[in-house]
Amino acid sequence: MALREERIGELVERVRQKSKGFRKPPIIVIGGYALRAYVPFLRYSRDCDFALPMGKESAIESIAGWFRDLSQEAKEKQETHGYLRLVQLLPAGRRRIKISLDFMEGEIRGRAGETLMLDERFVRDSQHSAIQIGGTSIKIRVPSYQDYLLLKLLSARPSDVRDIAAMVWKRGLPKTADFRKRANEIVTEPDQLGGKMKLLIADVSDPRFLDSWRGTFITEEFTEKDKGKVLKELRRLRRAIAHLAG
């Protein structure tokens, strides 16, 4: 884990330098590493995800050129979006550890067809934040809290559910009226969010969720009482999402 963190930190720092501080092109860290900008817990990950808007020309080829020492596992360039996945196998004793960098351009697409548009506001509202990766503090660029929560909700994988619980616990919810408006701006099918909320609340309600959450973030700080408060907020958000879907 320490080896993986150290190498990902080196690669994120390379992105920072090559993009002139995540400005040219504007590159925003999403996924588990962006979470570190919003909650005081670390969730270790074998990959690091980046998002960038679609410019006049795709930036995918240029970004691939920054990483000649990594292998290209996938690359796609379309008129509205692009995708690049770079991987590296790190020697760790008798085995090798896989790490990856994922760059999503123009749109962020989920496994079930969910799509979030990377518009000008996504970039404009993003902010710089120093996070710890391995033994190094790196100043990255992350989405606004509202956009990041939308990303997590739209994905709603088990790791996202635990992240959302941590965010709502520590940061609360954005204003629901603003959240609905923003969802309509960048989520291509915002009615999907109601179903995501239903699954999310079911997962957090599960009696096993507390142990799962604690195992992910390696802390006993989150209690049943805290979980209850999170559920109350999530149900309130679900009502707002249901209104949006209607």
Side-chain angles (χ1 to χ4, degrees):
M1 192 175 292
L3 178 64
R4 181 187 297 147
E5 280 273 299
E6 180 182 355
R7 182 55 176 156
I8 288 178
E10 293 171 352
L11 295 174
V12 172
E13 174 61 20
R14 191 187 305 181
V15 175
R16 188 191 69 79
Q17 293 179 4
K18 293 290 188 179
S19 64
K20 306 295 189 296
F22 299 97
R23 295 191 305 271
K24 297 180 179 181
I27 297 178
I28 298 165
V29 178
I30 57 175
Y33 283 96
L35 183 70
R36 300 181 184 189
Y38 288 113
V39 301
F41 308 111
L42 299 182
R43 175 169 71 76
Y44 296 100
S45 177
R46 68 181 60 191
D47 54 28
C48 188
D49 302 320
F50 303 88
L52 61 155
M54 180 67 74
K56 292 181 179 180
E57 295 183 1
S58 172
I60 290 297
E61 291 292 351
S62 296
I63 292 170
W66 301 345
F67 298 97
R68 303 290 186 189
D69 51 332
L70 274 62
S71 300
Q72 289 187 24
E73 189 171 89
K75 184 170 69 173
E76 179 183 3
K77 292 195 301 180
Q78 303 292 337
E79 287 187 10
T80 60
H81 66 277
Y83 176 69
L84 175 67
R85 182 175 179 85
L86 303 167
V87 301
Q88 184 174 36
L89 295 175
L90 303 177
R94 295 182 177 181
R95 60 194 183 94
R96 294 191 294 177
I97 301 170
K98 184 177 181 179
I99 62 171
S100 62
L101 303 181
D102 291 289
F103 294 87
M104 286 153 275
E105 185 178 35
E107 301 173 355
I108 297 175
R109 297 187 161 200
R111 292 179 174 86
E114 315 94 339
T115 304
L116 183 141
M117 311 297 294
L118 298 169
D119 62 1
E120 292 182 4
R121 182 178 170 186
F122 189 90
V123 177
R124 185 174 67 248
D125 289 355
S126 67
Q127 60 190 49
H128 290 272
S129 179
I131 67 166
Q132 196 76 16
I133 305 181
T136 306
S137 177
I138 303 177
K139 194 171 185 180
I140 64 171
R141 192 173 182 176
V142 298
S144 69
Y145 183 70
Q146 180 168 251
D147 284 353
Y148 188 53
L149 185 59
L150 263 174
L151 273 173
K152 288 289 177 183
L153 177 56
L154 196 60
S155 177
R157 297 170 301 175
S159 60
D160 296 307
V161 173
R162 293 187 288 268
D163 291 350
I164 289 169
M167 293 167 67
V168 173
W169 176 37
K170 288 298 183 181
R171 302 292 295 256
L173 294 175
K175 293 180 179 179
T176 54
D178 293 341
F179 193 78
R180 288 197 301 267
K181 180 181 178 182
R182 187 65 180 136
N184 271 321
E185 289 175 349
I186 59 174
V187 178
T188 56
E189 297 182 35
D191 58 322
Q192 292 180 325
L193 295 173
K196 299 287 186 179
M197 285 300 312
K198 183 178 180 180
L199 294 173
L200 173 64
I201 291 171
D203 285 349
V204 178
S205 299
D206 191 300
R208 298 166 294 181
F209 179 78
L210 190 65
D211 288 337
S212 172
W213 190 97
R214 288 173 170 177
T216 296
F217 293 105
I218 320 297
T219 177
E220 297 290 317
E221 188 178 343
F222 191 56
T223 66
E224 283 287 355
K225 184 177 180 180
D226 296 319
K227 173 183 161 179
K229 292 178 179 178
V230 167
L231 277 170
K232 182 179 179 180
E233 288 295 279
L234 291 176
R235 291 185 180 112
R236 183 165 69 88
L237 181 60
R238 182 186 177 184
R239 290 192 293 271
I241 295 299
H243 177 72
L244 170 70

